[in-house]
Amino acid sequence: MATQNSPLLELKDVGHSYVLDSGQKLKVIQDISLSLMPHESLVVLGPSGSGKSTLLRILAGLIEPTQGDAYLRGKPLESTNPEVAMVFQHSALLPWFNVQENISMGLRSQRLPESEVRERVKRAIDLVGLEGFEEAYPRELSGGMKQRVGLARAIVMERPILCLDEPFSALDVLAAEGLRKEVLNLWLSRKTSIESLVLITHNIIEAASIGSRILVLGSSPGQIKISFKNDLPYPRDERSAAFKSLVDDIHDVITEAIIPDTPEWVPPALSANITEAVPPVPLNEMIGLLEIISGQGGKAEAFTLAQKLMKDSVQILLMAKAAELLDLVDTPKNAIILTDMGRRFVASDINGRKKMFHEQLRHLKVTKLLERLLESQEELTLSWDDCIQSIQEWLPNENPEQVLDTLITWGRYGEVFGYNDDTKMVYLDRGQEVS
Ligand code: ADP
Ligand code: MG
């Protein structure tokens, strides 16, 4: 029997690897041990690609970890977790069903009396504020309303554990704020079966306002960097000093995880050999960020910048990391400072920028490796799949498709690589050798 002090869910030394189409393994999480206690709201915070969804799917029993074990109330979890209800980032609603029908879908398979189904659906609709929309079809609903349907669909299952995978991240700021408050109230009010929450997010404020415990994941492979206990009373006042200080602490950990000031020690003989992955950031946004930083005197603080731009601070940090790899910025502590090169880059016209980008990109180890690989081919071209194979060898802990995608986007801009969508071939851009 589970008591107040025994965990609802537990993971012990869990790791997970996916087998890619190439046959190679991609290790996405490693050595994860955690427990979800009764009446707890556990938030897992981490950059995209750090294995958060994988972790949640393991807790829900949707996938079996390739290492370690998952437990439900002390017993090994061997199939879909019967005590978990899920909410996803995009609630895949069936377009030909109306709101009520979509909400009742999960109950249909349970062969409950029709009157009970109706009763439970009505209650769920009331709880999430969808009264009046019972007959509406998904196409008539805003993103926020669709997510409410997704939430109702989970509540109606009347399960003790609610798992939410970035449920607010596709919504606009106001809709996200509203729904976040409601999820918190549903849990706190104890009007539902929900005893404990597991929320996946990459938003620090969200983590701090909802989590009674916050786990920060680092990536490649995803591992728990730190766990914060958060005893601030609900509802939390985001303007209070205690809240701000918690947010600062979490932010420091994440910053250190993404753009470390003290890189892990590497023997000097090896350090020249380290291959760094290119962070998967949109190039135009990264350049936009450099322009904004330049506009405020060449220096910005990552978190303040994120708030000002209403962007996710993790995304800003990844862009900073990308720019740092190219020597366009320095990132001491939380600051992002344009280097001389960065200043010249921003001041240049498009051709000047491309030329500098070309040079900087070619300094990266991973670019050199791909260049060498392509040079060794007869026609200076190699299939996408073969490139993936090699990238997997160079960067065994990264997602090779994402790395190649980013390399090609950057390579096109810097005229280093190109990709032919029809032939699916990656080629070396020798069209106009930049002198
Ligand atoms: P997050 O939710 O933190 O963004 P995910 O758990 O979705 O992370 O993914 C972690 C990594 O695993 C990513 O690089 C992703 O591309 C890869 N991945 C996720 N699902 C699969 C799958 N079914 N097969 C292969 N790779 C996968
Ligand atoms: Mg995810």
Side-chain angles (χ1 to χ4, degrees):
M1 244 337 259
T3 66
Q4 279 300 78
N5 294 320
S6 52
L8 295 173
L9 278 176
E10 233 178 330
L11 298 184
K12 289 188 186 159
D13 303 318
V14 159
H16 194 74
S17 303
Y18 290 105
V19 179
L20 302 174
D21 292 341
S22 60
Q24 309 248 19
K25 281 188 182 161
L26 176 68
K27 186 186 264 187
V28 296
I29 50 175
Q30 163 175 310
D31 298 334
I32 296 207
S33 294
L34 61 81
S35 47
L36 176 70
M37 304 303 286
H39 308 294
E40 180 173 50
S41 136
L42 182 67
V43 171
V44 180
L45 182 69
S48 105
S50 58
K52 303 183 297 298
S53 296
T54 302
L55 190 64
L56 202 66
R57 288 200 287 269
I58 291 172
L59 289 174
L62 299 174
I63 52 177
E64 207 182 315
T66 50
Q67 270 144 28
D69 291 291
Y71 299 86
L72 170 63
R73 300 187 193 266
K75 297 209 183 80
L77 182 62
E78 273 152 1
S79 57
T80 312
N81 192 328
E83 301 205 27
V84 162
M86 292 274 270
V87 180
F88 298 96
Q89 182 178 3
H90 298 280
S91 302
L93 306 179
L94 293 178
W96 51 85
F97 282 169
N98 66 23
V99 165
Q100 304 184 67
E101 291 162 338
N102 266 293
I103 295 173
S104 66
M105 247 170 40
L107 291 179
R108 296 282 165 205
S109 55
Q110 299 187 6
R111 307 190 182 286
L112 299 166
E114 187 54 36
S115 58
E116 184 179 343
V117 172
R118 232 177 298 126
E119 195 47 46
R120 277 164 71 166
V121 169
K122 184 175 180 304
R123 215 171 109 75
I125 284 179
D126 288 347
L127 283 167
V128 303
L130 277 171
E131 306 94 329
F133 290 88
E134 292 86 347
E135 313 277 329
Y137 284 86
R139 62 170 187 281
E140 303 169 66
L141 303 175
S142 67
M145 290 306 241
K146 281 187 197 145
Q147 272 313 68
R148 277 170 202 264
V149 179
L151 186 59
R153 202 168 53 179
I155 289 172
V156 84
M157 302 306 288
E158 301 188 353
R159 292 183 171 170
I161 304 166
L162 183 65
C163 288
L164 306 110
D165 193 353
E166 306 204 27
F168 318 117
S169 61
L171 304 178
D172 64 66
V173 181
L174 287 179
E177 180 74 25
L179 204 57
R180 197 182 291 150
K181 285 212 173 85
E182 289 203 32
V183 168
L184 193 57
N185 286 338
L186 281 174
W187 171 60
L188 292 170
S189 69
R190 309 228 173 144
K191 279 187 193 157
T192 65
S193 62
I194 305 164
E195 205 174 314
S196 295
L197 294 181
V198 183
L199 172 76
I200 302 284
T201 182
H202 54 231
N203 181 319
I204 298 173
I205 305 271
E206 189 169 301
S209 54
I210 294 183
S212 55
R213 206 148 48 90
I214 301 161
L215 304 179
V216 178
L217 282 196
S219 38
S220 306
Q223 274 176 300
I224 297 175
K225 289 273 176 194
I226 199 170
S227 160
F228 288 91
K229 188 138 182 46
N230 183 357
D231 287 327
L232 298 176
Y234 295 103
R236 291 175 175 156
D237 177 3
E238 290 182 15
R239 287 154 308 173
S240 73
F243 189 91
K244 285 185 177 151
S245 126
L246 174 70
V247 166
D248 284 345
D249 288 348
I250 301 173
H251 194 259
D252 285 347
V253 172
I254 294 217
T255 306
E256 185 60 25
I258 299 180
I259 45 173
D261 268 336
T262 45
E264 282 164 41
W265 188 80
V266 184
L270 281 181
S271 63
N273 262 323
I274 297 252
T275 310
E276 282 216 69
V278 277
V281 297
L283 195 57
N284 54 348
E285 286 193 28
M286 187 192 82
I287 295 174
L289 188 74
L290 297 177
E291 285 167 352
I292 289 167
I293 296 172
S294 164
Q296 48 185 72
K299 182 173 174 182
E301 201 272 324
F303 196 38
T304 323
L305 199 59
Q307 283 178 321
K308 198 164 109 189
L309 303 175
M310 295 220 269
K311 274 263 177 204
D312 195 79
S313 56
V314 170
Q315 193 60 21
I316 300 275
L317 286 169
L318 284 176
M319 287 194 235
K321 185 189 172 101
E324 186 168 40
L325 268 182
L326 297 166
D327 242 346
L328 299 171
V329 303
D330 277 331
T331 60
K333 296 273 174 256
N334 287 344
I336 312 175
I337 301 173
L338 290 184
T339 57
D340 283 343
M341 173 95 63
R343 287 175 190 276
R344 274 188 281 125
F345 181 86
V346 174
S348 301
D349 64 6
I350 174 82
N351 287 322
R353 286 183 180 186
K354 274 174 163 262
K355 197 162 162 174
M356 286 169 83
F357 197 85
H358 176 94
E359 291 302 323
Q360 293 312 103
L361 184 56
R362 292 189 70 186
H363 285 317
L364 299 186
K365 180 86 190 294
V366 64
T367 312
K368 287 184 184 156
L369 289 169
L370 186 57
E371 274 191 286
R372 213 176 301 154
L373 178 68
L374 293 169
E375 275 163 3
S376 71
Q377 307 300 310
E378 218 166 297
E379 312 261 323
L380 305 183
T381 158
L382 191 62
S383 74
W384 168 276
D385 290 341
D386 288 338
C387 291
I388 291 286
Q389 287 268 5
S390 294
I391 289 175
Q392 177 84 36
E393 280 160 29
W394 304 331
L395 295 159
N397 291 330
E398 301 293 332
N399 179 338
E401 313 239 320
Q402 215 169 49
V403 171
L404 186 54
D405 245 352
T406 309
L407 265 180
I408 289 174
T409 315
W410 291 18
R412 276 180 169 153
Y413 182 82
E415 298 177 15
V416 181
F417 307 118
Y419 178 64
N420 185 323
D421 288 301
D422 297 326
T423 58
K424 311 259 179 281
M425 298 295 277
V426 180
Y427 59 88
L428 207 50
D429 190 345
R430 285 286 156 85
Q432 66 182 95
E433 192 67 42
V434 183
S435 53

